[in-house]
């Protein structure tokens, strides 16, 4: 079985970003592998280390040239080879799923691991769109995963709590925090990663065009209320604070 794990490069959670025109200006920003995708890379490695019949683990990135750094990180973690579909065009999740599906078919993939919610899109659509294109089952928000013969088993979060599942392979699985703890690449593996295969493709090879175009972007800001509460009467102060949080800040129901 071959595993395909998607890798996206996003700004570090602590990085300060600014909007320029219809997008975010990443000039000078610290970029990292999306955390949700990193769980997918780690899980692919753990499945193989746990005895699953994994022949090859392939990392895929679709985006500008700088995405090569994210793929090198995945290779240093232990991925066997990488595919970079290089484009400066911003691709929405549904369009990207067409690339993922074509590569899955060409590479004889048995399991696709995708971050449950991409940080740059704030979207959960990629896993579902990919599974729909391929006609494969999809398991979302997974926090435990095992390969048993020609099936996968595990547990995942649902609205009612947590449930066990079993599904036939091939399948699409979305990953999340709690599934594992991603490893740090070691220096020897970082050096080995430089010699691993990193294939370069173009978006034209897959016949994909973005279906969604961003026409404007802005960072939402919220003015501080700057209200002082008289604490002489603790009970009255607590009631007033609760009222402000509920009715003005609207952060509680």
């Amino acid at each position: 079985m071959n595993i395909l794990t998607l890798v996206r490069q996003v700004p570090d959670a602590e990085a300060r970003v600014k909007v320029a025109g219809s997008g975010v200006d990443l000039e000078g920003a610290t970029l990292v592998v999306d955390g949700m995708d990193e769980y997918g890379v780690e899980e692919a490695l753990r499945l193989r280390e746990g005895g699953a019949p994994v022949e090859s683990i392939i990392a895929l990135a679709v985006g500008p040239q700088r995405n090569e750094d994210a793929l090198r990180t995945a290779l240093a973690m232990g991925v066997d080879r990488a595919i970079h579909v290089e484009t400066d065009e911003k691709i929405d999740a549904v369009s990207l799923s067409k690339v993922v599906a074509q590569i899955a078919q060409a590479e004889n993939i048995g399991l696709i691991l995708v971050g449950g919610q991409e940080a740059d899109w704030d979207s959960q659509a990629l896993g579902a769109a990919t599974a729909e294109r391929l006609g494969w089952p999809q398991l979302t928000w997974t926090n435990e995963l095992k390969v048993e013969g020609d099936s996968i088993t595990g547990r995942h979060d649902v609205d009612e709590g947590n449930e066990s599942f079993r599904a036939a392979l091939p399948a699409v699985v979305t990953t999340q925090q709690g599934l594992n703890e991603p490893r740090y690449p070691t220096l020897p593996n970082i050096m080995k990663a430089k010699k691993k295969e990193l294939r370069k493709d173009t978006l034209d090879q897959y016949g994909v065009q973005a279906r969604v175009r961003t026409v404007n972007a802005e960072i939402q800001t919220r003015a501080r209320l700057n209200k002082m509460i008289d604490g002489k009467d603790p009970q009255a102060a607590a009631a007033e604070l609760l009222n402000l949080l509920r009715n003005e800040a609207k952060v509680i129901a």
Side-chain angles (χ1 to χ4, degrees):
M1 177 179 69
N2 295 327
I3 297 178
L4 180 67
T5 179
L6 189 75
V7 174
R8 291 187 66 79
Q9 189 184 54
V10 298
D12 185 272
E14 302 298 324
R16 288 186 174 273
V17 297
K18 56 185 178 181
V19 169
S22 63
V24 176
D25 183 4
L26 297 178
E27 186 67 32
T30 301
L31 302 175
V32 297
V33 176
D34 189 299
M36 290 284 193
D37 292 333
E38 203 170 15
Y39 297 123
V41 174
E42 177 64 28
E43 193 61 23
L45 299 171
R46 292 193 182 200
L47 288 173
R48 178 162 62 185
E49 293 166 355
V54 178
E55 295 180 13
S56 181
I57 300 173
I58 305 167
L60 167 66
V62 180
Q65 193 275 334
R66 63 173 180 268
N67 279 251
E68 185 175 324
D69 294 336
L71 288 173
R72 290 294 180 194
T73 298
L75 291 169
M77 289 174 69
V79 167
D80 298 309
R81 56 192 177 93
I83 300 172
H84 182 196
V85 181
E86 189 170 339
T87 177
D88 290 325
E89 186 176 357
K90 293 181 179 179
I91 305 298
D92 58 274
V94 174
S95 299
L96 178 55
S97 70
K98 187 175 181 180
V99 178
V100 179
Q102 289 182 62
I103 290 176
Q105 292 172 323
E107 297 289 343
N108 193 28
I109 299 298
L111 177 63
I112 298 175
L113 296 171
V114 178
Q117 185 163 338
E118 307 297 337
D120 52 350
W121 292 329
D122 196 30
S123 168
Q124 304 172 20
L126 181 57
T130 302
E132 175 65 20
R133 286 188 185 279
L134 292 167
W136 294 1
Q138 179 201 201
L139 292 314
T140 59
W141 299 111
T142 309
N143 46 41
E144 181 182 313
L145 190 64
K146 294 180 181 178
V147 174
E148 297 181 357
D150 58 357
S151 300
I152 53 172
T153 63
R155 299 185 65 82
H156 66 162
D157 292 336
V158 294
D159 290 341
E160 294 77 18
N162 192 275
E163 68 179 15
S164 300
F165 64 79
R166 175 182 291 273
L169 290 169
V172 177
V173 171
T174 68
T175 56
Q176 65 165 331
Q177 185 176 12
L179 175 60
N180 55 54
E181 187 63 36
R183 68 195 68 188
Y184 290 100
T186 62
L187 182 58
N189 285 339
I190 291 173
M191 300 306 293
K192 291 177 183 177
K194 295 179 180 180
K195 299 180 180 180
K196 291 183 178 180
E197 178 187 350
L198 198 164
R199 191 179 93 203
K200 291 279 190 175
D201 289 350
T202 65
L203 194 61
D204 291 341
Q205 293 176 234
Y206 298 92
V208 172
Q209 290 184 333
R211 302 178 64 177
V212 177
R213 182 170 61 91
T214 302
V215 295
N216 185 49
E218 62 183 34
I219 296 178
Q220 292 184 340
T221 58
R222 201 170 193 172
R224 294 180 180 273
L225 296 177
N226 293 321
K227 291 197 174 183
M228 301 294 292
I229 299 175
D230 188 347
K232 291 180 180 180
D233 183 345
Q235 191 170 8
E240 185 178 354
L241 175 61
L242 185 62
N243 176 62
L244 290 171
L245 291 173
R246 176 177 291 136
N247 298 316
E248 293 198 34
K250 300 186 183 302
V251 295
I252 60 174

